[in-house]
Amino acid sequence: MAARPVTRGIDAKPVRVSAILGGDIRLEASTYLREGYGLTRLAKQVPGHTSLGELADIWLPDRLTGYEMPAGKGLPFFTAGQVFEDFPRVRKWLAKAFVPQPESRYVNSDWLLMTRSGVVGRVTAVYPHHLGVVISDDLLRIVPKNPAEYGWLYAYMKTQFFMQVAQAAQYGHMIKHIEVAHASAFPVIMPEESVRRKIGDMAAGAIRQRVRARDLRDAAFALFEKCVGYSKDDELPQGGSSHGEVRVSDVIVGGRQRLDAGFYGGQIARITELFSSHPTSLLGEVTIFASDLPRFARIYGDGGIPYVSASELFDVNAKPGKMIYAKLVKGWDRYLLHKGTIIMACSGQKYGIIGRALMLTENHEGLFGSHDLLRLVVDDAKIRSGYLLTFLNDPALGRPYVVRNAYGTSIPHLDSSDVQAIKIPRLDDEDEAAIADLMDESVRLSAEADRTENDAIRLAQNQIETAIGLSSVTE
């Protein structure tokens, strides 16, 4: 009796030669085994469907090999990952002479951006902080041909369906890529105009809310800096740019010997001088500290609860990418995130998210958070949470003052004892209340924008599933 042929691998299915030869010749099996391949074929059978290239001009600038300059000395630059951050900070400056066609590197507020390498298919709107900054060529520029379809395209491209379609087209071994031609061919299902308009208005409204939230946040920072006595016209010296003497008593801080010059010199010396003219409170005195959670073994699975890392939480409307079996972690309930808590990233590079603080809202309730997040529960009788959040995140004063406490070379870390010892400048009750009101409204608007956007994406996903005849693409 002849032996049966053995099929190696988890999945196997026949593929028509015409499918392989359609367009670019794709011989890797993963192209046809991904769910997005089947979804693409279903979408192309929907009457009235079109392609992304019919609705938008899609392009990208030439690859950029920049020559890095000292901070503030060249063109500000954002990597692809930074573009998705809620509050990115420029950490690279490029020599203008070595940036070919610099005008092609900038973006406009009515465009969309989509990752074309790494995790392909991630989409973001263009926000005010992206304008005037050189943007990585790892992002495709999506320019809607009809401005009335901007909101619908944004909601559609944020769906799980679109992500699966995009990832079905990716190629490459270690680092996945898609090209302009791939994106142009992505199918777009077009419900009736009234439906597209309703969903698009929700999505565009969420983007406008988010912009307004950022304006309020910037106003809170400006008022805090004014009340403390800092003017943007008075440039703070950068660390290492000046020399000075430090008392031995200052080096031995709370029993810890801080010998790194950046802890004292340059802009930190000036910030300390500004804060010294005000009464102060220690951060540990105005909060209940819930941190120093131990590391744990992460066991992921579809039956777990949503898990978020520090980096995920600081992206715009970040979605948990993994599910963790929480009850396999000792003291698992201590890691859950709760509305009203301020969390702070306590590890990472000093130019990155370390020291960034975020007020958790109902959108974060019950998520399982990384041990790399310090948890701060504010004592409302001693300080307004909005004022504390403004101080911690203020880009000119508070954030450098927090990050100076980071120690370590490869991956700097913030120790909870150092964070608790941070001195917070106190202002008149009226000034603190005004600053807190601005920041609280910013947090509220941002959380509302996320919920509105999620509703628009959900409606778009439902329209897609109805059109292709599936009850749930994501199940």
Side-chain angles (χ1 to χ4, degrees), residues 221-306:
F221 292 149
L223 183 54
F224 169 75
E225 292 165 5
K226 177 183 177 182
C227 292
V228 168
Y230 166 67
S231 171
K232 293 188 183 298
D233 295 332
D234 302 327
E235 184 177 352
L236 294 176
Q238 297 299 309
S241 63
S242 59
H243 303 277
E245 297 180 353
V246 179
R247 296 176 181 273
V248 174
S249 58
D250 293 333
V251 173
I252 305 173
V253 180
R256 293 167 58 80
Q257 296 180 358
R258 299 303 302 249
L259 300 178
D260 36 329
F263 189 84
Y264 310 96
Q267 66 179 143
I268 297 302
R270 175 60 178 144
I271 293 171
T272 302
E273 180 184 346
L274 284 172
F275 290 174
S276 66
S277 60
H278 300 272
T280 59
S281 295
L282 297 182
L283 190 144
E285 295 174 345
V286 298
T287 63
I288 302 169
F289 226 72
S291 58
D292 291 332
L293 298 178
R295 293 179 178 270
F296 55 88
R298 296 165 177 79
I299 301 177
Y300 303 113
D302 294 337
I305 65 174

XYZ file of all heavy atoms in Angstrom, residues 221-306:
652
model
N 0.496 74.212 30.500
C 1.954 74.331 30.612
C 2.374 75.804 30.613
O 3.210 76.222 31.434
C 2.643 73.612 29.444
C 2.502 72.114 29.457
C 2.469 71.403 28.269
C 2.403 71.412 30.642
C 2.355 70.020 28.263
C 2.278 70.023 30.651
C 2.255 69.337 29.450
N 1.797 76.583 29.717
C 2.173 77.995 29.605
C 1.844 78.756 30.889
O 2.649 79.587 31.358
C 1.466 78.634 28.410
N 0.683 78.472 31.472
C 0.295 79.159 32.705
C 1.191 78.730 33.871
O 1.598 79.564 34.690
C -1.176 78.862 33.028
C -1.755 79.562 34.261
C -1.559 81.072 34.186
C -3.235 79.210 34.426
N 1.514 77.443 33.949
C 2.416 76.967 35.000
C 3.778 77.659 34.891
O 4.325 78.144 35.891
C 2.580 75.451 34.892
C 3.676 74.889 35.762
C 3.510 74.772 37.126
C 4.880 74.475 35.200
C 4.532 74.268 37.929
C 5.903 73.965 35.987
C 5.721 73.859 37.358
N 4.329 77.709 33.689
C 5.642 78.320 33.493
C 5.615 79.805 33.846
O 6.556 80.328 34.458
C 6.092 78.106 32.045
C 6.394 76.642 31.722
C 6.494 76.377 30.236
O 6.420 77.357 29.452
O 6.621 75.203 29.841
N 4.526 80.489 33.472
C 4.404 81.902 33.796
C 4.358 82.116 35.304
O 5.035 83.014 35.840
C 3.135 82.466 33.146
C 2.862 83.928 33.478
C 1.554 84.403 32.852
C 1.250 85.840 33.248
N -0.054 86.297 32.678
N 3.568 81.293 36.007
C 3.424 81.458 37.455
C 4.723 81.129 38.195
O 5.030 81.740 39.223
C 2.296 80.571 37.973
S 0.646 81.077 37.424
N 5.492 80.206 37.657
C 6.761 79.844 38.292
C 7.807 80.918 38.049
O 8.740 81.086 38.840
C 7.232 78.463 37.772
C 8.672 78.182 38.173
C 6.323 77.360 38.301
N 7.652 81.659 36.944
C 8.607 82.719 36.648
C 9.501 82.436 35.470
O 10.499 83.126 35.253
N 9.132 81.428 34.657
C 9.944 81.069 33.497
C 9.363 81.696 32.244
O 8.157 81.689 32.019
C 9.974 79.544 33.332
C 10.499 79.073 32.004
C 11.833 79.258 31.645
C 9.661 78.443 31.082
C 12.316 78.822 30.425
C 10.135 78.005 29.861
C 11.463 78.193 29.541
O 11.936 77.763 28.328
N 10.225 82.251 31.408
C 9.828 82.807 30.122
C 10.576 82.075 29.022
O 11.774 81.800 29.149
C 10.160 84.302 30.045
O 9.971 84.782 28.734
N 9.863 81.735 27.958
C 10.505 81.020 26.852
C 11.565 81.879 26.171
O 12.410 81.363 25.433
C 9.456 80.555 25.839
C 8.524 79.491 26.396
C 7.644 78.913 25.311
C 6.658 77.886 25.881
N 7.339 76.742 26.480
N 11.521 83.180 26.416
C 12.556 84.060 25.853
C 13.892 83.866 26.566
O 14.946 84.187 26.021
C 12.133 85.521 25.964
C 10.906 85.826 25.114
O 10.719 85.131 24.098
O 10.142 86.744 25.486
N 13.820 83.347 27.805
C 15.042 83.077 28.568
C 15.415 81.620 28.364
O 14.896 80.740 29.042
C 14.820 83.348 30.061
C 14.387 84.783 30.313
O 14.834 85.672 29.570
O 13.591 84.996 31.249
N 16.290 81.358 27.413
C 16.650 79.983 27.084
C 17.418 79.358 28.244
O 18.394 79.908 28.742
C 17.495 79.940 25.817
C 17.826 78.531 25.359
C 18.609 78.528 24.063
O 18.757 79.605 23.469
O 19.082 77.448 23.667
N 16.965 78.171 28.641
C 17.663 77.469 29.712
C 18.943 76.867 29.158
O 18.955 76.315 28.059
C 16.788 76.338 30.280
C 15.514 76.770 31.002
C 14.712 75.542 31.408
C 15.854 77.588 32.234
N 20.048 76.939 29.905
C 21.281 76.293 29.439
C 21.102 74.790 29.397
O 20.410 74.209 30.221
C 22.318 76.707 30.496
C 21.519 77.025 31.724
C 20.216 77.569 31.235
N 21.687 74.148 28.398
C 21.593 72.693 28.289
C 22.614 72.041 29.202
O 23.656 72.599 29.522
C 21.832 72.251 26.833
C 20.779 72.789 25.862
C 19.394 72.304 26.212
O 19.167 71.113 26.399
N 18.445 73.228 26.300
N 22.303 70.798 29.596
C 23.222 70.071 30.464
C 24.579 69.927 29.815
O 24.694 69.616 28.632
N 25.625 70.153 30.594
C 26.979 69.997 30.081
C 27.533 71.250 29.423
O 28.683 71.290 29.034
N 26.693 72.271 29.275
C 27.160 73.472 28.582
C 27.779 74.482 29.541
O 28.288 75.493 29.116
C 25.990 74.116 27.824
O 24.986 74.530 28.736
N 27.678 74.218 30.825
C 28.255 75.158 31.777
C 28.882 74.378 32.922
O 28.633 73.202 33.104
C 27.161 76.091 32.303
O 26.135 75.354 32.932
N 29.726 75.063 33.683
C 30.418 74.427 34.790
C 30.045 75.148 36.084
O 29.695 76.326 36.087
C 31.939 74.486 34.580
C 32.388 73.854 33.297
N 32.581 72.503 33.170
C 32.660 74.403 32.083
C 32.977 72.235 31.926
N 33.032 73.378 31.254
N 30.118 74.435 37.156
C 29.804 75.053 38.431
C 30.232 74.155 39.571
O 30.692 73.030 39.368
N 30.086 74.671 40.783
C 30.457 73.899 41.963
C 29.199 73.356 42.632
O 28.142 73.978 42.605
C 31.227 74.788 42.938
C 32.555 75.300 42.383
C 33.287 76.179 43.374
O 32.690 76.484 44.439
O 34.435 76.560 43.103
N 29.339 72.177 43.228
C 28.228 71.525 43.916
C 28.691 71.164 45.322
O 29.787 70.614 45.505
C 27.777 70.247 43.168
C 26.641 69.566 43.908
C 27.366 70.588 41.749
N 27.873 71.474 46.295
C 28.218 71.133 47.677
C 28.191 69.615 47.878
O 27.365 68.920 47.294
C 27.220 71.769 48.643
C 27.234 73.297 48.653
C 26.138 73.805 49.573
N 26.093 75.259 49.596
C 26.824 76.006 50.418
N 27.647 75.429 51.281
N 26.736 77.322 50.371
N 29.068 69.129 48.731
C 29.085 67.700 49.054
C 27.756 67.277 49.671
O 27.238 66.196 49.398
C 30.246 67.374 50.011
C 30.167 65.917 50.471
C 31.583 67.639 49.345
N 27.159 68.151 50.466
C 25.875 67.836 51.100
C 24.780 67.644 50.060
O 23.816 66.910 50.274
C 25.470 68.938 52.078
O 25.379 70.195 51.420
N 24.924 68.313 48.898
C 23.938 68.152 47.833
C 24.146 66.854 47.065
O 23.201 66.294 46.504
C 24.011 69.328 46.853
C 23.561 70.637 47.499
O 22.760 70.574 48.448
O 24.026 71.703 47.046
N 25.398 66.393 47.024
C 25.704 65.145 46.308
C 25.098 63.955 47.037
O 24.584 63.018 46.424
C 27.231 64.968 46.161
C 27.560 63.597 45.586
C 27.802 66.077 45.287
N 25.127 64.005 48.347
C 24.565 62.907 49.144
C 23.087 63.231 49.378
O 22.710 63.863 50.354
C 25.321 62.744 50.473
C 26.825 62.564 50.207
C 24.770 61.571 51.257
C 27.665 62.560 51.460
N 22.267 62.828 48.439
C 20.846 63.167 48.453
C 20.071 62.028 49.101
O 19.963 60.945 48.537
C 20.317 63.414 47.022
C 18.841 63.773 47.057
C 21.131 64.500 46.345
N 19.531 62.282 50.285
C 18.720 61.263 50.947
C 19.442 59.949 51.117
O 18.842 58.882 50.992
N 20.745 60.008 51.368
C 21.506 58.778 51.535
C 22.007 58.191 50.233
O 22.685 57.178 50.226
N 21.671 58.824 49.101
C 22.111 58.333 47.778
C 23.158 59.296 47.232
O 22.969 60.509 47.255
C 20.930 58.248 46.812
C 19.917 57.194 47.200
C 18.629 57.360 46.427
N 18.807 57.306 44.983
C 18.945 56.175 44.285
N 18.914 55.009 44.934
N 19.098 56.187 42.988
N 24.258 58.779 46.740
C 25.323 59.614 46.203
C 25.126 59.804 44.712
O 25.311 58.872 43.928
C 26.693 58.977 46.484
C 27.006 58.876 47.971
C 28.365 58.248 48.231
O 29.055 57.858 47.306
N 28.737 58.150 49.490
N 24.714 61.017 44.313
C 24.495 61.310 42.902
C 25.706 62.051 42.362
O 25.888 63.239 42.608
C 23.230 62.150 42.722
C 21.959 61.479 43.199
C 21.727 60.128 42.521
N 21.658 60.223 41.080
C 20.550 60.033 40.369
N 19.421 59.742 40.971
N 20.576 60.113 39.051
N 26.549 61.332 41.604
C 27.777 61.914 41.093
C 27.663 62.343 39.633
O 28.601 62.920 39.083
C 28.931 60.915 41.236
C 29.236 60.472 42.676
C 30.357 59.439 42.685
C 29.612 61.669 43.530
N 26.527 62.037 38.967
C 26.366 62.414 37.559
C 26.094 63.916 37.468
O 25.185 64.442 38.101
C 25.245 61.616 36.896
C 24.080 61.344 37.835
O 24.323 61.217 39.037
O 22.921 61.248 37.370
N 26.891 64.606 36.642
C 26.807 66.070 36.553
C 25.443 66.531 36.075
O 24.972 67.606 36.458
C 27.897 66.595 35.623
N 24.780 65.730 35.221
C 23.483 66.112 34.704
C 22.415 66.256 35.764
O 21.371 66.870 35.523
N 22.670 65.700 36.942
C 21.708 65.816 38.039
C 21.689 67.235 38.592
O 20.711 67.648 39.220
C 22.096 64.820 39.149
C 21.078 64.688 40.238
C 19.998 63.843 40.110
C 21.211 65.419 41.414
C 19.054 63.722 41.127
C 20.274 65.306 42.430
C 19.197 64.446 42.286
N 22.779 68.010 38.358
C 22.912 69.331 38.977
C 23.039 70.466 37.969
O 22.508 71.551 38.185
C 24.160 69.375 39.871
C 24.275 68.226 40.833
C 25.051 67.108 40.523
C 23.605 68.241 42.048
C 25.160 66.052 41.399
C 23.707 67.179 42.926
C 24.486 66.082 42.601
O 24.578 65.032 43.466
N 23.790 70.245 36.880
C 24.244 71.364 36.058
C 23.300 71.763 34.954
O 22.210 71.211 34.766
N 23.730 72.768 34.179
C 23.006 73.215 33.008
C 21.594 73.670 33.341
O 21.365 74.467 34.249
N 20.612 73.163 32.592
C 19.242 73.597 32.756
C 18.672 73.201 34.123
O 17.797 73.889 34.654
C 18.360 73.018 31.646
C 18.211 71.511 31.681
C 17.306 71.001 30.574
O 17.563 69.943 30.019
N 16.265 71.729 30.232
N 19.177 72.113 34.720
C 18.670 71.687 36.024
C 18.984 72.728 37.091
O 18.155 73.025 37.963
C 19.257 70.317 36.422
C 18.817 69.248 35.418
C 18.830 69.938 37.827
C 17.313 69.102 35.297
N 20.166 73.319 37.029
C 20.524 74.359 37.994
C 19.569 75.541 37.887
O 19.132 76.107 38.905
C 21.967 74.803 37.766
N 19.227 75.921 36.654
C 18.312 77.052 36.459
C 16.897 76.693 36.915
O 16.206 77.508 37.536
C 18.320 77.450 34.980
C 17.324 78.541 34.608
C 17.566 79.820 35.373
N 16.627 80.867 34.965
C 16.114 81.765 35.781
N 16.450 81.754 37.067
N 15.293 82.688 35.334
N 16.446 75.477 36.621
C 15.110 75.044 37.057
C 15.043 75.013 38.576
O 14.064 75.477 39.185
C 14.785 73.654 36.467
C 14.631 73.754 34.945
C 13.508 73.091 37.079
C 14.519 72.415 34.251
N 16.073 74.496 39.206
C 16.113 74.448 40.666
C 16.042 75.851 41.255
O 15.366 76.095 42.259
C 17.397 73.744 41.139
O 17.444 72.422 40.583
C 17.428 73.635 42.658
N 16.738 76.792 40.604
C 16.716 78.186 41.057
C 15.303 78.768 40.960
O 14.831 79.460 41.870
C 17.694 79.003 40.215
C 17.767 80.479 40.603
C 18.679 81.263 39.687
O 19.447 80.634 38.926
O 18.607 82.507 39.707
N 14.595 78.476 39.862
C 13.228 78.964 39.691
C 12.306 78.393 40.753
O 11.500 79.100 41.360
C 12.704 78.585 38.301
C 13.215 79.393 37.110
C 12.748 78.752 35.802
C 12.733 80.825 37.180
N 12.429 77.094 40.998
C 11.548 76.436 41.969
C 11.841 76.883 43.395
O 10.948 76.858 44.249
C 11.698 74.914 41.872
C 11.120 74.320 40.612
C 11.294 72.968 40.315
C 10.402 75.093 39.718
C 10.756 72.416 39.171
C 9.868 74.545 38.558
C 10.053 73.202 38.283
N 13.084 77.290 43.672
C 13.468 77.639 45.044
C 12.773 78.891 45.550
O 12.743 79.155 46.758
C 14.985 77.812 45.137
O 15.410 78.930 44.370
N 12.205 79.675 44.654
C 11.509 80.898 45.069
C 10.054 80.628 45.470
O 9.310 81.557 45.757
C 11.549 81.937 43.948
O 10.916 81.444 42.785
N 9.661 79.355 45.482
C 8.301 78.972 45.844
C 8.345 77.924 46.959
O 9.312 77.171 47.069
C 7.570 78.374 44.631
C 7.452 79.308 43.472
N 6.421 80.196 43.327
C 8.267 79.498 42.399
C 6.573 80.881 42.214
N 7.699 80.492 41.632
N 7.312 77.857 47.783
C 7.218 76.736 48.713
C 7.072 75.445 47.924
O 6.618 75.458 46.770
C 5.956 77.053 49.523
C 5.167 77.997 48.670
C 6.173 78.783 47.880
N 7.482 74.342 48.517
C 7.440 73.068 47.784
C 6.783 71.980 48.628
O 6.735 72.065 49.860
C 8.855 72.599 47.393
O 9.661 72.442 48.578
C 9.522 73.589 46.456
N 6.301 70.966 47.948
C 5.818 69.736 48.587
C 6.544 68.568 47.951
O 6.805 68.583 46.736
C 4.304 69.560 48.373
O 3.566 70.571 48.997
N 6.879 67.566 48.746
C 7.457 66.351 48.179
C 6.349 65.545 47.511
O 5.227 65.447 48.031
C 8.128 65.512 49.256
C 9.331 66.149 49.975
C 9.911 65.178 50.991
C 10.405 66.556 48.961
N 6.672 64.950 46.377
C 5.665 64.177 45.661
C 5.109 63.052 46.536
O 3.912 62.751 46.494
C 6.265 63.621 44.363
C 5.278 62.996 43.382
C 5.699 63.285 41.949
C 5.170 61.494 43.574
N 5.978 62.439 47.321
C 5.532 61.358 48.199
C 4.592 61.814 49.300
O 3.873 60.987 49.876
N 4.576 63.131 49.598
C 3.694 63.652 50.642
C 2.278 63.907 50.132
O 1.340 63.959 50.926
C 4.261 64.963 51.195
C 5.591 64.817 51.914
C 6.187 66.156 52.306
O 5.729 67.203 51.771
O 7.109 66.165 53.156
N 2.121 64.091 48.811
C 0.805 64.442 48.269
C 0.176 63.300 47.472
O -0.885 63.464 46.881
C 0.906 65.696 47.374
C 1.372 66.891 48.182
C 1.837 65.459 46.176
N 0.843 62.146 47.457
C 0.301 60.987 46.755
C 0.447 59.745 47.615
O 1.265 59.689 48.536
C 1.036 60.732 45.418
O 2.419 60.431 45.686
C 0.952 61.926 44.501
N -0.371 58.771 47.305
C -0.211 57.434 47.864
C 0.510 56.624 46.810
O 0.001 56.421 45.711
C -1.574 56.803 48.204
C -2.327 57.680 49.194
C -1.398 55.393 48.750
C -3.776 57.272 49.389
N 1.704 56.169 47.131
C 2.551 55.527 46.142
C 2.229 54.038 46.067
O 2.296 53.326 47.054
C 4.022 55.730 46.522
C 4.872 56.147 45.375
C 4.758 57.430 44.853
C 5.762 55.272 44.789
C 5.540 57.837 43.786
C 6.552 55.671 43.729
C 6.446 56.956 43.223
N 1.869 53.575 44.883
C 1.590 52.154 44.674
C 2.505 51.672 43.560
O 2.110 51.606 42.400
C 0.128 51.945 44.314
N 3.733 51.384 43.923
C 4.709 51.019 42.897
C 5.631 49.933 43.421
O 5.281 49.187 44.331
C 5.509 52.259 42.481
O 6.152 52.801 43.610
N 6.821 49.873 42.818
C 7.792 48.831 43.161
C 7.186 47.443 43.009
O 7.430 46.544 43.821
C 8.323 49.019 44.594
C 9.202 50.249 44.728
O 9.822 50.628 43.717
O 9.252 50.840 45.814
N 6.376 47.251 41.993
C 5.803 45.935 41.714
C 6.880 45.060 41.079
O 7.619 45.523 40.197
C 4.606 46.066 40.780
C 3.440 46.893 41.326
C 2.330 46.990 40.286
C 2.905 46.276 42.606
N 7.002 43.815 41.487
C 8.074 42.959 40.961
C 7.832 42.538 39.517
O 6.703 42.573 39.018
C 8.036 41.750 41.904
C 6.631 41.700 42.406
C 6.186 43.142 42.509
N 8.900 42.139 38.866
C 8.781 41.557 37.531
C 8.006 40.248 37.621
O 7.934 39.626 38.684
C 10.167 41.295 36.938
C 10.951 42.559 36.641
C 12.318 42.211 36.079
N 13.080 43.406 35.746
C 13.044 43.995 34.561
N 12.284 43.485 33.608
N 13.756 45.083 34.327
N 7.468 39.820 36.490
C 6.686 38.585 36.510
C 6.789 37.920 35.146
O 7.078 38.558 34.130
C 5.220 38.888 36.845
C 4.578 39.895 35.939
C 3.949 39.513 34.762
C 4.624 41.252 36.254
C 3.376 40.445 33.920
C 4.044 42.202 35.402
C 3.420 41.786 34.237
N 6.547 36.624 35.141
C 6.537 35.874 33.883
C 5.227 36.152 33.164
O 4.152 36.014 33.736
C 6.688 34.384 34.156
N 5.318 36.561 31.911
C 4.130 36.879 31.127
C 3.706 35.657 30.312
O 4.491 35.151 29.505
C 4.399 38.055 30.195
C 4.707 39.358 30.913
C 5.312 40.364 29.950
N 5.556 41.658 30.565
C 6.587 41.944 31.349
N 7.480 41.003 31.629
N 6.728 43.141 31.869
N 2.495 35.212 30.532
C 1.937 34.104 29.759
C 0.721 34.644 29.014
O -0.285 35.000 29.632
C 1.550 32.915 30.663
C 2.788 32.431 31.431
C 0.961 31.781 29.829
C 2.520 31.325 32.409
N 0.849 34.734 27.699
C -0.193 35.359 26.895
C -1.118 34.310 26.299
O -0.720 33.162 26.053
C 0.434 36.190 25.765
C 1.385 37.258 26.245
C 2.751 37.191 25.975
C 0.920 38.346 26.976
C 3.623 38.179 26.406
C 1.782 39.345 27.420
C 3.128 39.249 27.121
O 3.993 40.228 27.562
N -2.336 34.728 26.042
C -3.298 33.828 25.410
C -4.608 34.535 25.167
O -4.931 35.545 25.806
N -5.393 33.989 24.237
C -6.646 34.634 23.856
C -7.653 34.687 24.996
O -8.565 35.511 24.980
C -7.271 33.896 22.663
C -6.423 34.035 21.405
O -5.642 35.006 21.331
O -6.546 33.180 20.510
N -7.497 33.831 25.995
C -8.458 33.803 27.099
C -8.109 34.729 28.242
O -8.792 34.731 29.275
N -7.073 35.552 28.078
C -6.636 36.418 29.168
C -7.336 37.764 29.144
O -8.359 37.958 28.499
N -6.758 38.728 29.890
C -7.295 40.087 29.910
C -6.286 41.004 29.207
O -5.097 40.680 29.109
C -7.578 40.578 31.350
C -6.280 40.690 32.159
C -8.543 39.650 32.051
C -6.493 41.304 33.535
N -6.735 42.153 28.683
C -5.833 43.019 27.913
C -4.626 43.478 28.734
O -4.768 43.922 29.873
C -6.731 44.199 27.533
C -8.119 43.665 27.592
C -8.113 42.662 28.709
